[in-house]
Amino acid sequence: MMLSKLKLWLVLTTCFLFVGGAIFGQRQISGTVTDAENSEALIGATISVAGAAAGTVTDYDGNFKINLPPNATQLTISYTGFETQTIDLTASNVLKVALKNSALIKEVVVIGYGTVKREDATGLVQSVSSNKFNRGAITGPQELMAGKIAGVAITSNNGAPGGAVKIRIRGESSLGASNDPLIVVDGIPLDNPTRDGNGISGGRNQLNFLNPNDIETFTVLKDASAAAIYGNRASGGVILITTKKGKLGKKIQVGLNTSASFSYVAKKMDVLTGDEFRATVKNFYANPDPTGVEHPAIGLLGTANTDWQDEIFQEAPGNDHNLNISGGIGVVPYRVSIGYTEKEGILRTDNFNRYSSAVNLSPGFFNNTLQFNVNFKGMLSKNHFADNGAIGNALGFDPTRPVRDTSAKFGGFTTWTIANGNPNNLGTRNPVAALELRDDNSTVKQYISSASVDYRFKFLPALRANVNVGYSYTKGEGTIVVPNFAAFEFDAINGGGVNNYYEQTKKNSLLESYLNYKKEFGDHIVDVMAGYGWQHFDIDNYFKNSDTKGTPSEITTGSDPKELFMISLFGRLNYTFKDRYLLTGSLRRDATSRFGPDFRWGYFPAAAFAVKILDNDKRLFNNLKLRLSWGRTGQQDLGEDYYPYLAQYQYGNTSAQYQFGDSTVTTIRPNGYVGNLKWEETDSYNAGLDFSIIKNRLSGSFDLYKKQSIDLLSYVPFSALSNLTNYLTTNIGKLEGEGVELTLNLTPVLTKKVQWDLAFNVARNTSKITKLNVKYDPNDPGQFVGGISGGVGSNIQVHSVGYTPFSFYVFEQKYDATGRFLEGEYVDRNGDGLVNEADKYRFKSPAPLYVLGMSSSLNIKSFTLSFAGRAHLGNYVYNNTQTDMGYLNRIFGTTKVLWNVNQSAVDLQAKDQAKLTFSDHFVTDASFFRLDHITASYNFQHLVGRYFNVYTTVQNPFVITNYGGIDPEIGSGIDNSFYPRSRTFVIGLNVNF
């Protein structure tokens, strides 16, 4: 009925305009509306008569005609995203109007549930646009912004293609819950149920469904006043990702981005070569036993010189292609893209394939009072995973043995055996066999779709309503197959081998709606927003593990479905006085099904004030704005633990069965739980200064902040309070952090032919635990974390009151007068005459004290040279490779096989592992500067189409560090058989038609 009335109204209005013009002989104006930036026609631009109801829109070529009513003196031309222009009518009846892109006049940044001019932002909101992204063979979107924003540390977990990334904004805010930021893609908050960031079984990176070529901007909400509008999961900060859209008025644009790359290992671990190993073994075991018999280790030496790292690593090719089409049809701007990525890993057999697609439609109706945004992104990825354990085996396998032994029955690979010819399970695995005989494949299908409607009410133009719905679906499934002749899965009784299957599905449903009222009253501007949100996460999984033959006793299956509901009420008030004084207040009320009914609601308020001290276009001092803010954010993300407040039960193992007649019954035992679990909360205070001088040639910001987290969700010892378990997740603890950040953007050279842009940022962050247990005990070392190789259950890190989280807990090493390492000798720090656990101390942590980022872009006519780099200063790494593989007694033990050792074993003449594990000698300063990329490009203007750009990039060209391990950039701070990052060379082509 409503649509019929609308059609009738349009017909009658059109007839009236034509008839009225014929009867009264009205004056007719015609003209063309174009984009001032590139002179292209704007389709659907609105032309209206000032002070009258008459109006029209431009056609496909940007042309329009309009009949003027009597006494008309002005025309108003408007178009979404462009500056509205008012034209005084003259004697001419033909007009040519060029509209300026409003984004070129006032930069608009995305905030939670809306946008704001950057100059009017009261919170700390920083963004990186596509023209500033890092370059190279990048598959994970997070890498695009590494080093670009002060206080945002981005570290890839390893060198695997498409691998997961760790992101920290202003350091850690939690001990047991997630410290990851909330990521919102085109208005859809993503789930983050895993700690390694891969998001789905068989996946590599939660954001791999996003092709980097489709991303327009990253916006980081850093301080709590900006992030609190997303209160429920915002303690780790918020990252808003906006994808590219089409534009009306543009002719059809076709873009092609294609590149080819190859990667290789930048650095290998320092282990003994075959000749060095033979010499070391003969020297270390030179003395025969009392009977004069040569030590058996010497008899096991072979004649080969095998570099096992060379055998497992490779030069890895890659290619990436993206085709996009954008423009506008009628009133519908569109952008469609498809992409394909294939990358080999530098670890042999590691392979990542991705097919991606994206569709974005953003039409506007009724003079853009009704706007739609429809987004779809899909991905199909196929993976072959290499066995990362091959890295550790390559470091330890005897280098005097060949890769293959044609006489061996285990696939022809050299294998340590026992007397009966079966594999020696206590020896090292052949790393090449581990790669070639393990077939680990997965397929991940993922799509995310969203639709938003924004309507500005005709009877009250200052009021608009927004409804946003979204749905994402991800399914990962895979198989792991190992033949029964593989030595590392040998089973003489049942037949051995592996034939495993797994699958997991995740669904994310979202409904959000809000009303926004913005009105100017003289010197006052009031902007009010209030809304409601509902989100549901549904997870299901299944696995079946079996040997090759499917032996019934070897088959295990399982399934663990779970779901999470979140409900939110939120509101925000922005008030501006005389375009100088800015005030923001917000409140969010969230509920999560992770907590019990009496504890599931949390309140997250925020307030901010800003004053524009300077705001002008003068030659020297342009802008100066002071910001003050406070906000509270929350955290409830406990990873895969979706029901921590409920009593849960689990089946016992085969040793916990009762005999009933001829059958056995598996017992069920209760797990411990805390019924009054509640929200973790973080209060954040921020004082900042934004500035720009010399016609904006130098701009930046300076910020001081302090964070206080209370009711920390921590996994703590509970043996004294519960007879069900030794550890429970509960709200115990407080954590404080503070820091300072500086961002500078500089254009030192700006002429018609040359432009040089520089960017630099630095952040200093410290954190300290102020409470950890119900009752403080100065003799309690704290919670041990940071598991390491070298002793069952060994931990090298600790959470302690008064110290940085994840501090290393070690002995102070002794050295002789010449600085020589004294194995097993430590300082008696408490002076009691004994060296024992009481003498351990907290020494440094993996968290960097300073994080720096820098980038440069020099453009000379059609040539551009750019680079970007990062530095971490004051971060320490525990070299577990040296403590686990760096002692001479490792060479030959009760296992009757030979093990290679790290070069440090020879350098230190260390013999026993137990005397190395907890020495602070192996906690090393891992400060570094890494150049992420150097890119040179040349634009052959108008050679083909409108844009033809050829570029070459060297990714990770060098790292400057004193750290002796394979890589200083290790998020956990524990270096053990790390999958190394590669050095990559890329050549690419960008063409726009």
Side-chain angles (χ1 to χ4, degrees), residues 137-155:
I138 292 175
T139 53
Q142 301 100 321
E143 299 174 58
L144 295 171
M145 57 176 290
K148 298 295 184 180
I149 297 179
V152 180
I154 298 177
T155 305

Side-chain angles (χ1 to χ4, degrees), residues 251-306:
K251 296 178 181 179
I252 295 177
Q253 305 232 359
V254 179
L256 173 64
N257 304 313
T258 182
S259 66
S261 64
F262 73 92
S263 307
Y264 64 93
V265 178
K267 184 179 181 179
K268 296 191 299 183
M269 284 300 300
D270 192 7
V271 295
L272 302 185
T273 66
D275 290 338
E276 291 170 342
F277 186 70
R278 274 185 286 267
T280 299
V281 171
K282 291 176 181 179
N283 179 65
F284 188 64
Y285 297 107
N287 298 322
D289 64 19
T291 63
V293 177
E294 182 182 67
H295 194 281
I298 298 177
L300 292 174
L301 288 171
T303 59
N305 277 288
T306 303

Side-chain angles (χ1 to χ4, degrees), residues 781 783-788 795-800 803-812 839-848 874-880 917-926 963 968 970-975:
Q783 300 174 16
F784 293 107
V785 292
I788 58 172
N795 293 283
I796 199 66
Q797 294 168 323
V798 68
H799 294 325
S800 301
Y803 294 90
T804 302
F806 299 97
S807 294
F808 297 106
Y809 195 57
V810 288
F811 291 110
E812 184 179 356
D839 292 296
K840 284 185 177 180
Y841 76 115
R842 297 151 190 88
F843 177 64
K844 306 297 183 179
S845 81
N875 54 304
Y876 280 70
V877 168
Y878 173 73
N879 197 327
N880 196 195
T917 302
F918 293 99
S919 169
D920 67 359
H921 177 84
F922 301 99
V923 178
T924 310
D925 185 352
Y963 178 64
I970 297 177
S972 66
I974 299 173
D975 181 0

Side-chain angles (χ1 to χ4, degrees), residues 13 29 63 88 188 234 239 247 276 362 372 376 488 568 611 617 629 714 739 769 771 774 797 814 891 894 903 972 983:
T13 301
I29 299 293
N63 299 323
D88 290 327
I188 307 298
I239 297 177
K247 294 181 180 180
E276 291 170 342
S362 50
F372 288 86
F376 173 86
F488 52 91
S568 306
V611 56
D617 294 323
S629 67
S714 304
I769 299 170
K771 181 181 178 182
V774 176
Q797 294 168 323
K814 272 188 175 182
I891 294 174
T894 57
Q903 179 64 41
S972 66
R983 182 162 296 139

Side-chain angles (χ1 to χ4, degrees), residues 392-413:
N393 285 311
L395 302 180
F397 209 93
D398 178 4
T400 69
R401 299 228 164 203
V403 175
R404 300 181 186 273
D405 180 358
T406 55
S407 65
K409 62 181 180 179
F410 305 109
F413 291 97

Side-chain angles (χ1 to χ4, degrees), residues 336-390:
V336 180
S337 74
I338 56 174
Y340 173 69
T341 303
E342 180 182 16
K343 286 194 175 180
E344 299 283 341
I346 57 172
L347 182 60
R348 286 179 52 197
T349 74
D350 197 7
N351 180 266
F352 170 67
N353 278 268
R354 174 181 61 194
Y355 304 83
S356 64
S357 63
V359 178
N360 188 294
L361 308 175
S362 50
F365 303 95
F366 311 120
N367 294 330
N368 288 316
T369 58
L370 177 62
Q371 294 180 323
F372 288 86
N373 271 291
V374 180
N375 295 282
F376 173 86
K377 299 166 190 69
M379 178 200 71
L380 170 66
S381 73
K382 296 184 177 182
N383 305 279
H384 188 286
F385 294 98
D387 184 353
N388 287 4

Side-chain angles (χ1 to χ4, degrees), residues 97-164:
V97 182
L99 296 185
K100 295 181 180 179
N101 191 323
S102 61
L104 300 176
I105 302 168
K106 296 293 185 180
E107 185 181 359
V108 174
V109 292
V110 179
I111 58 175
Y113 309 104
T115 59
V116 65
K117 290 187 293 185
R118 181 177 295 280
E119 62 179 22
D120 290 342
T122 56
L124 184 52
V125 181
Q126 295 181 315
S127 60
V128 182
S129 56
S130 56
N131 62 332
K132 301 293 184 182
F133 288 166
N134 289 324
R135 306 299 177 187
I138 292 175
T139 53
Q142 301 100 321
E143 299 174 58
L144 295 171
M145 57 176 290
K148 298 295 184 180
I149 297 179
V152 180
I154 298 177
T155 305
S156 57
N157 289 357
N158 54 47

